[in-house]
PDB file of all heavy atoms in Angstrom:
ATOM      1  N   GLU A  89     -10.647 -64.857 173.250  1.00  0.00           N
ATOM      2  CA  GLU A  89     -10.949 -65.858 172.228  1.00  0.00           C
ATOM      3  C   GLU A  89     -10.012 -65.652 171.042  1.00  0.00           C
ATOM      4  O   GLU A  89      -9.783 -64.518 170.600  1.00  0.00           O
ATOM      5  CB  GLU A  89     -12.411 -65.743 171.790  1.00  0.00           C
ATOM      6  CG  GLU A  89     -13.419 -66.050 172.891  1.00  0.00           C
ATOM      7  CD  GLU A  89     -13.359 -67.492 173.344  1.00  0.00           C
ATOM      8  OE1 GLU A  89     -13.667 -68.376 172.518  1.00  0.00           O
ATOM      9  OE2 GLU A  89     -12.998 -67.735 174.519  1.00  0.00           O
ATOM     10  N   LYS A  90      -9.497 -66.747 170.492  1.00  0.00           N
ATOM     11  CA  LYS A  90      -8.494 -66.663 169.439  1.00  0.00           C
ATOM     12  C   LYS A  90      -9.041 -67.011 168.054  1.00  0.00           C
ATOM     13  O   LYS A  90      -8.421 -66.640 167.043  1.00  0.00           O
ATOM     14  CB  LYS A  90      -7.330 -67.612 169.748  1.00  0.00           C
ATOM     15  CG  LYS A  90      -6.636 -67.356 171.070  1.00  0.00           C
ATOM     16  CD  LYS A  90      -5.969 -65.998 171.116  1.00  0.00           C
ATOM     17  CE  LYS A  90      -5.174 -65.823 172.412  1.00  0.00           C
ATOM     18  NZ  LYS A  90      -4.585 -64.457 172.509  1.00  0.00           N
ATOM     19  N   VAL A  91     -10.178 -67.716 167.984  1.00  0.00           N
ATOM     20  CA  VAL A  91     -10.664 -68.210 166.693  1.00  0.00           C
ATOM     21  C   VAL A  91     -12.093 -67.757 166.417  1.00  0.00           C
ATOM     22  O   VAL A  91     -12.342 -66.988 165.492  1.00  0.00           O
ATOM     23  CB  VAL A  91     -10.572 -69.748 166.623  1.00  0.00           C
ATOM     24  CG1 VAL A  91     -11.089 -70.254 165.280  1.00  0.00           C
ATOM     25  CG2 VAL A  91      -9.134 -70.207 166.844  1.00  0.00           C
ATOM     26  N   ARG A  92     -13.050 -68.227 167.225  1.00  0.00           N
ATOM     27  CA  ARG A  92     -14.457 -67.899 166.983  1.00  0.00           C
ATOM     28  C   ARG A  92     -14.810 -66.601 167.692  1.00  0.00           C
ATOM     29  O   ARG A  92     -14.556 -66.433 168.892  1.00  0.00           O
ATOM     30  CB  ARG A  92     -15.374 -69.001 167.509  1.00  0.00           C
ATOM     31  CG  ARG A  92     -15.182 -70.335 166.858  1.00  0.00           C
ATOM     32  CD  ARG A  92     -15.664 -70.378 165.434  1.00  0.00           C
ATOM     33  NE  ARG A  92     -17.105 -70.370 165.303  1.00  0.00           N
ATOM     34  CZ  ARG A  92     -17.744 -70.397 164.138  1.00  0.00           C
ATOM     35  NH1 ARG A  92     -17.047 -70.398 163.006  1.00  0.00           N
ATOM     36  NH2 ARG A  92     -19.053 -70.406 164.083  1.00  0.00           N
ATOM     37  N   PRO A  93     -15.408 -65.645 166.993  1.00  0.00           N
ATOM     38  CA  PRO A  93     -15.810 -64.401 167.646  1.00  0.00           C
ATOM     39  C   PRO A  93     -16.949 -64.639 168.630  1.00  0.00           C
ATOM     40  O   PRO A  93     -17.794 -65.511 168.421  1.00  0.00           O
ATOM     41  CB  PRO A  93     -16.275 -63.531 166.473  1.00  0.00           C
ATOM     42  CG  PRO A  93     -16.703 -64.506 165.425  1.00  0.00           C
ATOM     43  CD  PRO A  93     -15.774 -65.680 165.565  1.00  0.00           C
ATOM     44  N   ILE A  94     -16.963 -63.880 169.707  1.00  0.00           N
ATOM     45  CA  ILE A  94     -18.106 -63.891 170.622  1.00  0.00           C
ATOM     46  C   ILE A  94     -19.208 -63.051 169.992  1.00  0.00           C
ATOM     47  O   ILE A  94     -18.978 -61.910 169.586  1.00  0.00           O
ATOM     48  CB  ILE A  94     -17.721 -63.339 172.004  1.00  0.00           C
ATOM     49  CG1 ILE A  94     -16.671 -64.239 172.659  1.00  0.00           C
ATOM     50  CG2 ILE A  94     -18.949 -63.215 172.902  1.00  0.00           C
ATOM     51  CD1 ILE A  94     -16.140 -63.707 173.983  1.00  0.00           C
ATOM     52  N   ARG A  95     -20.412 -63.604 169.918  1.00  0.00           N
ATOM     53  CA  ARG A  95     -21.525 -62.894 169.284  1.00  0.00           C
ATOM     54  C   ARG A  95     -22.699 -62.672 170.225  1.00  0.00           C
ATOM     55  O   ARG A  95     -23.540 -61.811 169.974  1.00  0.00           O
ATOM     56  CB  ARG A  95     -21.984 -63.668 168.042  1.00  0.00           C
ATOM     57  CG  ARG A  95     -20.970 -63.617 166.891  1.00  0.00           C
ATOM     58  CD  ARG A  95     -21.344 -64.558 165.769  1.00  0.00           C
ATOM     59  NE  ARG A  95     -21.095 -65.949 166.129  1.00  0.00           N
ATOM     60  CZ  ARG A  95     -21.525 -66.985 165.425  1.00  0.00           C
ATOM     61  NH1 ARG A  95     -22.226 -66.794 164.330  1.00  0.00           N
ATOM     62  NH2 ARG A  95     -21.251 -68.222 165.814  1.00  0.00           N
ATOM     63  N   GLN A  96     -22.785 -63.442 171.297  1.00  0.00           N
ATOM     64  CA  GLN A  96     -23.892 -63.310 172.245  1.00  0.00           C
ATOM     65  C   GLN A  96     -23.338 -63.294 173.664  1.00  0.00           C
ATOM     66  O   GLN A  96     -22.546 -64.158 174.024  1.00  0.00           O
ATOM     67  CB  GLN A  96     -24.870 -64.482 172.109  1.00  0.00           C
ATOM     68  CG  GLN A  96     -25.473 -64.660 170.730  1.00  0.00           C
ATOM     69  CD  GLN A  96     -26.339 -65.905 170.673  1.00  0.00           C
ATOM     70  OE1 GLN A  96     -27.263 -66.090 171.472  1.00  0.00           O
ATOM     71  NE2 GLN A  96     -26.043 -66.793 169.737  1.00  0.00           N
ATOM     72  N   TYR A  97     -23.787 -62.323 174.456  1.00  0.00           N
ATOM     73  CA  TYR A  97     -23.350 -62.274 175.848  1.00  0.00           C
ATOM     74  C   TYR A  97     -24.397 -61.570 176.691  1.00  0.00           C
ATOM     75  O   TYR A  97     -25.292 -60.900 176.170  1.00  0.00           O
ATOM     76  CB  TYR A  97     -21.995 -61.567 175.967  1.00  0.00           C
ATOM     77  CG  TYR A  97     -22.065 -60.051 175.988  1.00  0.00           C
ATOM     78  CD1 TYR A  97     -22.109 -59.357 177.201  1.00  0.00           C
ATOM     79  CD2 TYR A  97     -22.098 -59.300 174.817  1.00  0.00           C
ATOM     80  CE1 TYR A  97     -22.190 -57.978 177.239  1.00  0.00           C
ATOM     81  CE2 TYR A  97     -22.162 -57.926 174.840  1.00  0.00           C
ATOM     82  CZ  TYR A  97     -22.211 -57.261 176.057  1.00  0.00           C
ATOM     83  OH  TYR A  97     -22.291 -55.896 176.101  1.00  0.00           O
ATOM     84  N   PHE A  98     -24.284 -61.714 178.016  1.00  0.00           N
ATOM     85  CA  PHE A  98     -25.195 -61.033 178.933  1.00  0.00           C
ATOM     86  C   PHE A  98     -24.539 -60.972 180.306  1.00  0.00           C
ATOM     87  O   PHE A  98     -23.566 -61.678 180.593  1.00  0.00           O
ATOM     88  CB  PHE A  98     -26.557 -61.731 179.000  1.00  0.00           C
ATOM     89  CG  PHE A  98     -26.501 -63.207 179.292  1.00  0.00           C
ATOM     90  CD1 PHE A  98     -26.699 -63.686 180.575  1.00  0.00           C
ATOM     91  CD2 PHE A  98     -26.260 -64.125 178.277  1.00  0.00           C
ATOM     92  CE1 PHE A  98     -26.643 -65.031 180.852  1.00  0.00           C
ATOM     93  CE2 PHE A  98     -26.199 -65.484 178.539  1.00  0.00           C
ATOM     94  CZ  PHE A  98     -26.395 -65.943 179.834  1.00  0.00           C
ATOM     95  N   TRP A  99     -25.079 -60.121 181.159  1.00  0.00           N
ATOM     96  CA  TRP A  99     -24.550 -59.939 182.505  1.00  0.00           C
ATOM     97  C   TRP A  99     -25.160 -60.935 183.486  1.00  0.00           C
ATOM     98  O   TRP A  99     -26.355 -61.254 183.393  1.00  0.00           O
ATOM     99  CB  TRP A  99     -24.830 -58.528 183.003  1.00  0.00           C
ATOM    100  CG  TRP A  99     -23.856 -57.508 182.510  1.00  0.00           C
ATOM    101  CD1 TRP A  99     -23.974 -56.717 181.405  1.00  0.00           C
ATOM    102  CD2 TRP A  99     -22.601 -57.172 183.114  1.00  0.00           C
ATOM    103  NE1 TRP A  99     -22.870 -55.914 181.275  1.00  0.00           N
ATOM    104  CE2 TRP A  99     -22.008 -56.167 182.310  1.00  0.00           C
ATOM    105  CE3 TRP A  99     -21.914 -57.613 184.250  1.00  0.00           C
ATOM    106  CZ2 TRP A  99     -20.776 -55.592 182.614  1.00  0.00           C
ATOM    107  CZ3 TRP A  99     -20.688 -57.060 184.546  1.00  0.00           C
ATOM    108  CH2 TRP A  99     -20.125 -56.060 183.744  1.00  0.00           C
ATOM    109  N   ALA A 100     -24.353 -61.386 184.437  1.00  0.00           N
ATOM    110  CA  ALA A 100     -24.888 -62.116 185.585  1.00  0.00           C
ATOM    111  C   ALA A 100     -25.722 -61.151 186.418  1.00  0.00           C
ATOM    112  O   ALA A 100     -25.437 -59.944 186.471  1.00  0.00           O
ATOM    113  CB  ALA A 100     -23.751 -62.693 186.427  1.00  0.00           C
ATOM    114  N   PRO A 101     -26.764 -61.629 187.081  1.00  0.00           N
ATOM    115  CA  PRO A 101     -27.647 -60.720 187.822  1.00  0.00           C
ATOM    116  C   PRO A 101     -26.955 -59.906 188.905  1.00  0.00           C
ATOM    117  O   PRO A 101     -27.399 -58.799 189.223  1.00  0.00           O
ATOM    118  CB  PRO A 101     -28.693 -61.665 188.430  1.00  0.00           C
ATOM    119  CG  PRO A 101     -28.690 -62.861 187.541  1.00  0.00           C
ATOM    120  CD  PRO A 101     -27.275 -63.008 187.082  1.00  0.00           C
ATOM    121  N   ASP A 102     -25.844 -60.421 189.475  1.00  0.00           N
ATOM    122  CA  ASP A 102     -25.160 -59.683 190.545  1.00  0.00           C
ATOM    123  C   ASP A 102     -24.045 -58.781 190.023  1.00  0.00           C
ATOM    124  O   ASP A 102     -23.295 -58.191 190.815  1.00  0.00           O
ATOM    125  CB  ASP A 102     -24.614 -60.641 191.610  1.00  0.00           C
ATOM    126  CG  ASP A 102     -23.476 -61.511 191.086  1.00  0.00           C
ATOM    127  OD1 ASP A 102     -23.158 -61.439 189.879  1.00  0.00           O
ATOM    128  OD2 ASP A 102     -22.906 -62.269 191.892  1.00  0.00           O
ATOM    129  N   SER A 103     -23.902 -58.692 188.703  1.00  0.00           N
ATOM    130  CA  SER A 103     -22.927 -57.804 188.050  1.00  0.00           C
ATOM    131  C   SER A 103     -21.476 -58.216 188.259  1.00  0.00           C
ATOM    132  O   SER A 103     -20.566 -57.467 187.900  1.00  0.00           O
ATOM    133  CB  SER A 103     -23.107 -56.343 188.514  1.00  0.00           C
ATOM    134  OG  SER A 103     -24.405 -55.876 188.251  1.00  0.00           O
ATOM    135  N   SER A 104     -21.227 -59.398 188.797  1.00  0.00           N
ATOM    136  CA  SER A 104     -19.847 -59.819 189.050  1.00  0.00           C
ATOM    137  C   SER A 104     -19.224 -60.555 187.885  1.00  0.00           C
ATOM    138  O   SER A 104     -18.011 -60.771 187.863  1.00  0.00           O
ATOM    139  CB  SER A 104     -19.796 -60.726 190.287  1.00  0.00           C
ATOM    140  OG  SER A 104     -20.432 -61.971 190.016  1.00  0.00           O
ATOM    141  N   MET A 105     -20.043 -60.932 186.917  1.00  0.00           N
ATOM    142  CA  MET A 105     -19.582 -61.837 185.883  1.00  0.00           C
ATOM    143  C   MET A 105     -20.279 -61.516 184.570  1.00  0.00           C
ATOM    144  O   MET A 105     -21.449 -61.129 184.549  1.00  0.00           O
ATOM    145  CB  MET A 105     -19.900 -63.282 186.319  1.00  0.00           C
ATOM    146  CG  MET A 105     -19.405 -64.377 185.401  1.00  0.00           C
ATOM    147  SD  MET A 105     -19.915 -66.024 186.014  1.00  0.00           S
ATOM    148  CE  MET A 105     -19.064 -66.090 187.607  1.00  0.00           C
ATOM    149  N   LEU A 106     -19.558 -61.666 183.466  1.00  0.00           N
ATOM    150  CA  LEU A 106     -20.157 -61.648 182.142  1.00  0.00           C
ATOM    151  C   LEU A 106     -20.258 -63.080 181.634  1.00  0.00           C
ATOM    152  O   LEU A 106     -19.334 -63.886 181.815  1.00  0.00           O
ATOM    153  CB  LEU A 106     -19.328 -60.802 181.178  1.00  0.00           C
ATOM    154  CG  LEU A 106     -19.593 -59.293 181.222  1.00  0.00           C
ATOM    155  CD1 LEU A 106     -18.513 -58.537 180.471  1.00  0.00           C
ATOM    156  CD2 LEU A 106     -20.959 -58.972 180.635  1.00  0.00           C
ATOM    157  N   LEU A 107     -21.363 -63.394 181.013  1.00  0.00           N
ATOM    158  CA  LEU A 107     -21.632 -64.730 180.511  1.00  0.00           C
ATOM    159  C   LEU A 107     -21.755 -64.671 178.996  1.00  0.00           C
ATOM    160  O   LEU A 107     -22.347 -63.734 178.450  1.00  0.00           O
ATOM    161  CB  LEU A 107     -22.917 -65.281 181.119  1.00  0.00           C
ATOM    162  CG  LEU A 107     -22.994 -65.255 182.653  1.00  0.00           C
ATOM    163  CD1 LEU A 107     -24.400 -65.575 183.126  1.00  0.00           C
ATOM    164  CD2 LEU A 107     -21.995 -66.231 183.257  1.00  0.00           C
ATOM    165  N   PHE A 108     -21.204 -65.668 178.307  1.00  0.00           N
ATOM    166  CA  PHE A 108     -21.319 -65.699 176.856  1.00  0.00           C
ATOM    167  C   PHE A 108     -21.385 -67.140 176.375  1.00  0.00           C
ATOM    168  O   PHE A 108     -21.023 -68.078 177.099  1.00  0.00           O
ATOM    169  CB  PHE A 108     -20.154 -64.955 176.187  1.00  0.00           C
ATOM    170  CG  PHE A 108     -18.807 -65.610 176.329  1.00  0.00           C
ATOM    171  CD1 PHE A 108     -18.315 -66.456 175.340  1.00  0.00           C
ATOM    172  CD2 PHE A 108     -18.002 -65.363 177.441  1.00  0.00           C
ATOM    173  CE1 PHE A 108     -17.071 -67.051 175.460  1.00  0.00           C
ATOM    174  CE2 PHE A 108     -16.748 -65.953 177.565  1.00  0.00           C
ATOM    175  CZ  PHE A 108     -16.279 -66.799 176.569  1.00  0.00           C
TER     176      PHE A 108
END
Side-chain angles (χ1 to χ4, degrees):
E89 296 295 295
K90 302 296 185 184
V91 180
R92 298 289 288 180
I94 296 175
R95 290 171 286 169
Q96 302 176 55
Y97 82 94
F98 52 98
W99 278 93
D102 68 356
S103 302
S104 69
M105 184 182 298
L106 277 167
L107 307 169
F108 68 95

